[in-house]
Coordinates of all heavy atoms in Angstrom, one line a residue:
M1 N 0.8 -1.3 0.0 CA 0.0 0.0 0.0 C 0.9 1.3 0.0 O 1.9 1.3 0.6 CB -0.9 0.0 1.2 CG -2.1 -0.9 1.1 SD -3.2 -0.4 -0.1 CE -4.2 -2.0 -0.3
K2 N 0.4 2.2 -0.7 CA 1.1 3.5 -0.9 C 0.2 4.6 -0.5 O -1.0 4.5 -0.6 CB 1.5 3.6 -2.3 CG 2.3 4.8 -2.7 CD 2.5 4.8 -4.2 CE 3.1 6.1 -4.6 NZ 3.2 6.2 -6.1
E3 N 0.8 5.7 0.1 CA 0.0 6.8 0.3 C 0.3 7.9 -0.6 O 1.4 8.3 -0.7 CB 0.1 7.3 1.8 CG -0.6 6.4 2.8 CD -0.9 7.1 4.2 OE1 -0.1 8.0 4.5 OE2 -1.9 6.8 4.8
T4 N -0.7 8.5 -1.2 CA -0.5 9.6 -2.2 C -1.3 10.8 -1.9 O -2.5 10.6 -1.6 CB -0.8 9.2 -3.6 OG1 0.0 8.0 -4.0 CG2 -0.6 10.3 -4.6
L5 N -0.7 12.0 -1.8 CA -1.5 13.2 -1.5 C -1.7 13.9 -2.9 O -0.8 14.2 -3.7 CB -0.7 14.1 -0.6 CG -1.4 15.5 -0.2 CD1 -2.4 15.0 0.9 CD2 -0.4 16.4 0.5
L6 N -3.0 14.1 -3.1 CA -3.4 14.8 -4.4 C -3.9 16.1 -4.1 O -4.8 16.4 -3.2 CB -4.5 14.0 -5.1 CG -4.3 12.6 -5.5 CD1 -5.6 11.8 -5.9 CD2 -3.3 12.6 -6.7
H7 N -3.4 17.1 -4.8 CA -3.9 18.6 -4.7 C -5.0 18.7 -5.8 O -4.7 18.3 -6.9 CB -2.8 19.5 -4.9 CG -1.8 19.7 -3.9 ND1 -1.7 20.7 -3.0 CD2 -1.0 18.7 -3.3 CE1 -0.9 20.6 -2.1 NE2 -0.4 19.4 -2.2
V8 N -6.2 18.9 -5.3 CA -7.4 18.9 -6.2 C -7.9 20.3 -6.5 O -8.1 21.1 -5.4 CB -8.5 18.1 -5.6 CG1 -9.6 18.0 -6.6 CG2 -8.0 16.6 -5.3
D9 N -8.1 20.8 -7.7 CA -8.7 22.0 -8.0 C -10.1 22.0 -7.9 O -10.8 21.1 -8.3 CB -8.3 22.4 -9.4 CG -6.8 22.6 -9.6 OD1 -6.1 22.9 -8.7 OD2 -6.3 22.5 -10.7
G10 N -10.8 23.2 -7.5 CA -12.1 23.3 -7.6 C -13.0 22.6 -6.5 O -14.2 22.6 -6.7
M11 N -12.4 22.2 -5.5 CA -13.2 21.5 -4.4 C -13.7 22.6 -3.5 O -12.9 23.4 -2.9 CB -12.2 20.7 -3.6 CG -12.3 19.3 -3.8 SD -11.6 18.2 -2.5 CE -10.2 19.0 -2.0
S12 N -15.0 22.8 -3.5 CA -15.5 24.0 -2.7 C -16.5 23.7 -1.7 O -16.9 24.6 -0.9 CB -15.9 25.0 -3.7 OG -16.9 24.5 -4.6
C13 N -17.2 22.6 -1.7 CA -18.3 22.4 -0.9 C -18.5 20.9 -0.4 O -17.8 20.0 -1.1 CB -19.6 22.8 -1.5 SG -20.2 21.8 -2.8
P14 N -19.4 20.6 0.6 CA -19.5 19.2 1.0 C -19.9 18.2 -0.2 O -19.5 17.1 0.0 CB -20.6 19.3 2.1 CG -20.5 20.7 2.5 CD -20.0 21.5 1.3
S15 N -20.6 18.7 -1.2 CA -20.9 17.8 -2.2 C -19.7 17.4 -3.0 O -19.6 16.3 -3.6 CB -22.1 18.2 -3.0 OG -21.7 19.1 -4.0
C16 N -18.7 18.3 -3.1 CA -17.5 17.9 -3.8 C -16.9 16.8 -3.0 O -16.2 15.9 -3.7 CB -16.5 19.1 -3.8 SG -16.9 20.5 -4.8
I17 N -16.9 16.8 -1.7 CA -16.2 15.8 -0.9 C -16.9 14.4 -1.3 O -16.3 13.4 -1.5 CB -16.4 16.1 0.6 CG1 -15.7 17.3 0.9 CG2 -15.9 14.8 1.4 CD1 -15.8 17.7 2.5
R18 N -18.2 14.4 -1.4 CA -19.0 13.2 -1.7 C -18.6 12.7 -3.1 O -18.4 11.5 -3.3 CB -20.5 13.3 -1.6 CG -21.0 13.4 -0.2 CD -22.6 13.0 -0.2 NE -23.3 13.8 -1.2 CZ -23.8 15.0 -1.0 NH1 -23.6 15.6 0.2 NH2 -24.5 15.6 -1.9
H19 N -18.6 13.6 -4.1 CA -18.2 13.2 -5.5 C -16.8 12.6 -5.5 O -16.6 11.5 -6.1 CB -18.2 14.4 -6.3 CG -19.6 14.9 -6.6 ND1 -19.9 16.2 -6.7 CD2 -20.8 14.3 -6.8 CE1 -21.2 16.4 -7.0 NE2 -21.7 15.3 -7.0
I20 N -15.8 13.3 -4.9 CA -14.4 12.8 -4.9 C -14.3 11.6 -4.1 O -13.6 10.6 -4.6 CB -13.6 14.0 -4.3 CG1 -13.5 15.1 -5.4 CG2 -12.2 13.5 -4.0 CD1 -12.9 16.4 -4.9
D21 N -14.9 11.5 -3.0 CA -14.8 10.3 -2.2 C -15.4 9.1 -2.9 O -14.7 8.0 -3.1 CB -15.5 10.5 -0.9 CG -15.3 9.4 0.2 OD1 -14.3 9.4 0.8 OD2 -16.1 8.4 0.3
G22 N -16.5 9.3 -3.5 CA -17.2 8.3 -4.3 C -16.4 7.8 -5.5 O -16.2 6.7 -5.8
A23 N -15.8 8.8 -6.2 CA -15.1 8.4 -7.4 C -13.8 7.6 -7.0 O -13.5 6.7 -7.8 CB -14.6 9.8 -8.1
L24 N -13.1 7.9 -6.0 CA -11.9 7.2 -5.6 C -12.3 5.8 -5.0 O -11.6 4.9 -5.3 CB -11.1 8.1 -4.7 CG -10.4 9.3 -5.3 CD1 -9.8 10.2 -4.4 CD2 -9.6 9.0 -6.5
R25 N -13.3 5.8 -4.2 CA -13.6 4.6 -3.5 C -14.2 3.5 -4.5 O -14.1 2.3 -4.1 CB -14.6 4.8 -2.4 CG -14.0 5.4 -1.2 CD -15.0 5.5 0.1 NE -14.5 6.4 1.0 CZ -13.7 6.0 2.1 NH1 -13.3 4.8 2.2 NH2 -13.3 6.9 2.9
G26 N -14.6 3.9 -5.6 CA -15.1 3.1 -6.7 C -14.0 2.3 -7.4 O -14.3 1.4 -8.1
I27 N -12.7 2.6 -7.1 CA -11.6 2.0 -7.8 C -11.2 0.8 -7.0 O -10.8 1.0 -5.8 CB -10.5 3.0 -7.9 CG1 -10.9 4.3 -8.7 CG2 -9.3 2.3 -8.6 CD1 -10.0 5.4 -8.6
A28 N -11.0 -0.3 -7.7 CA -10.4 -1.5 -7.0 C -9.0 -1.2 -6.6 O -8.2 -0.8 -7.4 CB -10.5 -2.6 -7.9
G29 N -8.6 -1.5 -5.3 CA -7.2 -1.2 -4.9 C -7.2 0.1 -4.0 O -6.1 0.3 -3.5
V30 N -8.2 0.9 -3.9 CA -8.2 2.0 -3.1 C -8.7 1.7 -1.8 O -9.8 1.1 -1.7 CB -9.1 3.2 -3.7 CG1 -9.3 4.4 -2.6 CG2 -8.4 3.7 -4.9
E31 N -7.9 1.9 -0.7 CA -8.3 1.4 0.7 C -8.8 2.4 1.5 O -9.8 2.3 2.3 CB -7.0 0.7 1.3 CG -7.3 0.1 2.6 CD -6.1 -0.7 3.1 OE1 -6.0 -1.8 2.6 OE2 -5.4 -0.2 4.0
K32 N -8.3 3.7 1.4 CA -8.7 4.7 2.3 C -8.7 6.1 1.5 O -7.7 6.3 0.8 CB -7.8 4.8 3.4 CG -8.2 5.6 4.6 CD -7.4 5.3 5.9 CE -7.6 6.3 6.9 NZ -6.6 7.1 7.4
V33 N -9.7 6.9 1.8 CA -9.8 8.3 1.1 C -10.1 9.3 2.2 O -11.0 9.1 2.9 CB -11.0 8.3 0.1 CG1 -11.0 9.7 -0.6 CG2 -10.7 7.2 -1.0
D34 N -9.2 10.3 2.3 CA -9.3 11.3 3.2 C -9.4 12.7 2.7 O -8.3 13.2 2.2 CB -8.2 11.2 4.3 CG -8.5 12.2 5.5 OD1 -9.6 12.8 5.6 OD2 -7.5 12.3 6.3
V35 N -10.5 13.3 2.3 CA -10.7 14.5 1.7 C -10.6 15.6 2.7 O -11.3 15.7 3.7 CB -12.0 14.6 0.9 CG1 -12.1 15.9 0.2 CG2 -12.3 13.5 0.1
K36 N -9.6 16.6 2.5 CA -9.5 17.8 3.3 C -9.9 18.9 2.4 O -9.1 19.6 1.6 CB -8.0 18.0 3.7 CG -7.5 16.7 4.7 CD -7.1 17.2 6.0 CE -6.3 16.1 6.8 NZ -7.2 14.9 7.0
L37 N -11.1 19.4 2.6 CA -11.7 20.5 1.8 C -10.9 21.8 2.0 O -10.6 22.5 0.9 CB -13.2 20.6 2.2 CG -14.0 21.6 1.3 CD1 -14.1 21.2 -0.1 CD2 -15.3 21.8 1.9
R38 N -10.6 22.1 3.2 CA -9.9 23.4 3.5 C -8.5 23.4 2.9 O -8.1 24.5 2.4 CB -9.8 23.5 5.1 CG -10.0 24.8 5.6 CD -10.0 24.8 7.1 NE -11.3 24.7 7.6 CZ -12.1 25.8 7.8 NH1 -11.7 27.0 7.6 NH2 -13.3 25.6 8.3
E39 N -7.8 22.3 2.9 CA -6.5 22.3 2.2 C -6.5 22.0 0.7 O -5.5 22.2 0.0 CB -5.6 21.2 2.9 CG -5.2 21.5 4.3 CD -6.1 21.1 5.4 OE1 -7.3 20.6 5.0 OE2 -5.9 21.3 6.6
G40 N -7.7 21.6 0.2 CA -7.8 21.3 -1.2 C -7.0 20.1 -1.5 O -6.4 19.9 -2.6
T41 N -6.9 19.1 -0.6 CA -6.1 17.9 -0.8 C -6.9 16.7 -0.5 O -7.9 16.7 0.2 CB -4.9 17.9 0.0 OG1 -5.2 17.9 1.4 CG2 -3.9 19.0 -0.2
V42 N -6.4 15.6 -1.1 CA -7.1 14.3 -0.8 C -5.9 13.3 -0.6 O -5.0 13.2 -1.4 CB -7.9 13.8 -1.9 CG1 -8.5 12.4 -1.6 CG2 -9.0 14.7 -2.4
L43 N -6.0 12.7 0.7 CA -4.9 11.7 0.9 C -5.6 10.3 0.6 O -6.6 9.9 1.1 CB -4.5 11.7 2.4 CG -3.4 10.9 2.9 CD1 -2.1 11.1 2.1 CD2 -3.1 10.9 4.4
V44 N -4.9 9.5 -0.2 CA -5.3 8.2 -0.7 C -4.4 7.2 -0.3 O -3.2 7.3 -0.7 CB -5.6 8.2 -2.2 CG1 -6.3 7.0 -2.7 CG2 -6.4 9.4 -2.7
K45 N -4.9 6.1 0.3 CA -4.1 4.9 0.6 C -4.6 3.9 -0.4 O -5.7 3.6 -0.6 CB -4.4 4.4 1.9 CG -3.4 3.4 2.5 CD -3.7 3.1 3.9 CE -2.7 2.1 4.5 NZ -3.1 1.7 5.9
H46 N -3.6 3.5 -1.3 CA -4.0 2.7 -2.4 C -2.9 1.6 -2.8 O -1.7 1.8 -2.4 CB -4.2 3.5 -3.6 CG -3.1 4.4 -4.1 ND1 -2.6 4.2 -5.3 CD2 -2.6 5.4 -3.5 CE1 -1.5 5.1 -5.3 NE2 -1.4 5.9 -4.3
D47 N -3.2 0.6 -3.5 CA -2.4 -0.4 -3.9 C -1.9 0.1 -5.4 O -2.7 0.1 -6.3 CB -3.1 -1.8 -4.1 CG -2.3 -2.9 -4.6 OD1 -1.1 -2.5 -5.1 OD2 -2.6 -4.1 -4.6
P48 N -0.5 0.4 -5.5 CA -0.1 1.0 -6.7 C -0.1 0.0 -7.9 O -0.1 0.5 -9.0 CB 1.3 1.5 -6.4 CG 1.7 0.7 -5.1 CD 0.5 0.4 -4.4
S49 N -0.2 -1.3 -7.6 CA -0.2 -2.2 -8.7 C -1.7 -2.2 -9.3 O -1.8 -2.2 -10.6 CB 0.2 -3.5 -8.3 OG -0.6 -4.1 -7.3
S50 N -2.7 -2.3 -8.6 CA -4.1 -2.3 -9.1 C -4.6 -0.8 -9.3 O -5.5 -0.6 -10.1 CB -5.0 -3.1 -8.3 OG -5.0 -2.7 -7.0
A51 N -4.2 0.1 -8.4 CA -4.7 1.4 -8.5 C -3.6 2.4 -8.5 O -3.3 3.1 -7.6 CB -5.6 1.7 -7.3
P52 N -2.9 2.5 -9.6 CA -1.7 3.5 -9.7 C -2.2 4.9 -9.7 O -3.4 5.2 -9.9 CB -1.1 3.1 -11.1 CG -2.1 2.4 -11.9 CD -3.0 1.7 -10.9
T53 N -1.3 5.8 -9.3 CA -1.7 7.2 -9.1 C -2.4 7.8 -10.3 O -3.3 8.6 -10.2 CB -0.3 8.0 -8.8 OG1 0.2 7.5 -7.7 CG2 -0.8 9.5 -8.6
N54 N -1.9 7.4 -11.6 CA -2.5 8.0 -12.8 C -4.0 7.7 -12.9 O -4.8 8.4 -13.5 CB -1.8 7.7 -14.1 CG -1.7 6.2 -14.4 OD1 -1.3 5.4 -13.6 ND2 -2.3 5.9 -15.6
V55 N -4.4 6.4 -12.4 CA -5.7 6.0 -12.4 C -6.5 6.8 -11.5 O -7.8 7.2 -11.8 CB -5.8 4.5 -12.1 CG1 -7.3 4.0 -11.8 CG2 -5.3 3.7 -13.2
L56 N -6.0 7.2 -10.3 CA -6.7 8.1 -9.3 C -7.0 9.4 -10.1 O -8.1 10.1 -10.0 CB -5.8 8.3 -8.1 CG -5.3 7.1 -7.4 CD1 -4.4 7.4 -6.1 CD2 -6.5 6.1 -7.0
V57 N -5.9 10.0 -10.7 CA -6.0 11.3 -11.3 C -7.0 11.2 -12.4 O -7.9 12.3 -12.6 CB -4.6 11.8 -11.9 CG1 -4.7 12.9 -12.7 CG2 -3.7 12.0 -10.7
E58 N -7.1 10.1 -13.2 CA -8.1 10.0 -14.3 C -9.5 10.0 -13.7 O -10.4 10.5 -14.3 CB -7.8 8.8 -15.1 CG -6.7 9.0 -16.2 CD -6.1 7.7 -16.7 OE1 -6.8 6.8 -16.7 OE2 -5.0 7.8 -17.1
A59 N -9.7 9.2 -12.6 CA -11.1 9.0 -12.0 C -11.5 10.5 -11.5 O -12.7 10.8 -11.7 CB -11.0 8.1 -10.8
L60 N -10.6 11.2 -11.0 CA -11.0 12.5 -10.5 C -11.3 13.5 -11.8 O -12.2 14.2 -11.7 CB -9.8 13.2 -9.7 CG -9.7 12.6 -8.3 CD1 -8.6 13.3 -7.6 CD2 -11.0 12.7 -7.4
R61 N -10.6 13.3 -12.8 CA -10.8 14.1 -14.0 C -12.2 13.7 -14.5 O -13.1 14.6 -14.9 CB -9.7 13.9 -15.0 CG -9.9 14.7 -16.3 CD -8.8 14.6 -17.3 NE -7.6 15.2 -16.6 CZ -6.4 14.6 -16.7 NH1 -6.1 13.6 -17.5 NH2 -5.4 15.3 -16.1
D62 N -12.5 12.4 -14.6 CA -13.9 12.0 -15.0 C -15.0 12.6 -14.1 O -16.0 12.8 -14.5 CB -14.0 10.5 -15.1 CG -13.1 9.8 -16.1 OD1 -12.8 10.5 -17.1 OD2 -13.0 8.6 -16.1
A63 N -14.6 12.8 -12.9 CA -15.6 13.4 -12.0 C -15.7 14.9 -12.0 O -16.5 15.5 -11.4 CB -15.3 13.0 -10.6
G64 N -14.7 15.5 -12.8 CA -14.8 16.9 -13.0 C -13.7 17.7 -12.2 O -13.9 18.9 -12.2
Y65 N -12.7 17.0 -11.8 CA -11.7 17.7 -10.9 C -10.3 17.4 -11.5 O -10.0 16.2 -11.6 CB -11.8 17.3 -9.5 CG -13.2 17.5 -8.8 CD1 -14.1 16.5 -8.9 CD2 -13.5 18.7 -8.2 CE1 -15.4 16.7 -8.2 CE2 -14.8 18.9 -7.7 CZ -15.6 18.0 -7.6 OH -16.9 18.2 -7.2
E66 N -9.5 18.5 -11.6 CA -8.1 18.3 -12.0 C -7.3 18.1 -10.7 O -7.6 18.8 -9.7 CB -7.6 19.6 -12.8 CG -8.2 19.7 -14.2 CD -7.9 18.5 -15.1 OE1 -6.6 18.1 -15.0 OE2 -8.7 18.0 -15.8
S67 N -6.4 17.3 -10.7 CA -5.6 17.0 -9.6 C -4.2 16.8 -9.9 O -3.8 16.4 -11.1 CB -6.2 15.9 -8.8 OG -6.1 14.7 -9.5
R68 N -3.3 17.0 -9.0 CA -1.8 16.7 -9.1 C -1.3 16.0 -7.8 O -1.6 16.4 -6.8 CB -1.0 18.0 -9.3 CG -1.3 18.8 -10.5 CD -0.9 20.2 -10.4 NE -1.4 20.9 -9.2 CZ -2.7 21.3 -9.0 NH1 -3.5 21.2 -10.0 NH2 -3.1 22.0 -7.9
P69 N -0.6 15.0 -8.1 CA 0.0 14.1 -6.9 C 1.1 14.9 -6.3 O 2.0 15.4 -7.1 CB 0.4 12.8 -7.6 CG 0.7 13.1 -9.0 CD -0.2 14.3 -9.4
R70 N 1.3 14.8 -5.0 CA 2.5 15.2 -4.3 C 3.0 14.0 -3.4 O 2.1 13.2 -3.0 CB 2.2 16.4 -3.4 CG 1.8 17.6 -4.1 CD 2.9 18.3 -4.8 NE 2.3 19.3 -5.9 CZ 1.9 20.5 -5.7 NH1 2.0 20.9 -4.4 NH2 1.5 21.2 -6.6
A71 N 4.2 13.9 -3.1 CA 4.7 12.9 -2.2 C 4.0 13.1 -0.9 O 4.0 14.2 -0.3 CB 6.2 13.0 -2.0
A72 N 3.4 12.0 -0.2 CA 2.7 12.2 1.0 C 3.7 12.1 2.2 O 4.7 11.5 2.1 CB 1.7 11.2 1.1
Ligands
CU1 CU1 -19.0 21.3 -4.4

């Protein structure tokens, strides 16, 4: 398991948290999602072999959010 911190653009309200949380938890290999609205970040605990970082970023893009990974 790996922890990746994603900086997410355009997160502004509680429904964003639900959208982002749902988009990431729907991916096989994602174990934990911690959305920090105030910081504009999402900490994801994931299996990099089944859920690599680019898959997380693509899922967020499909949900309407651009994001960039940072080392957690
Ligand atoms: Cu929102």
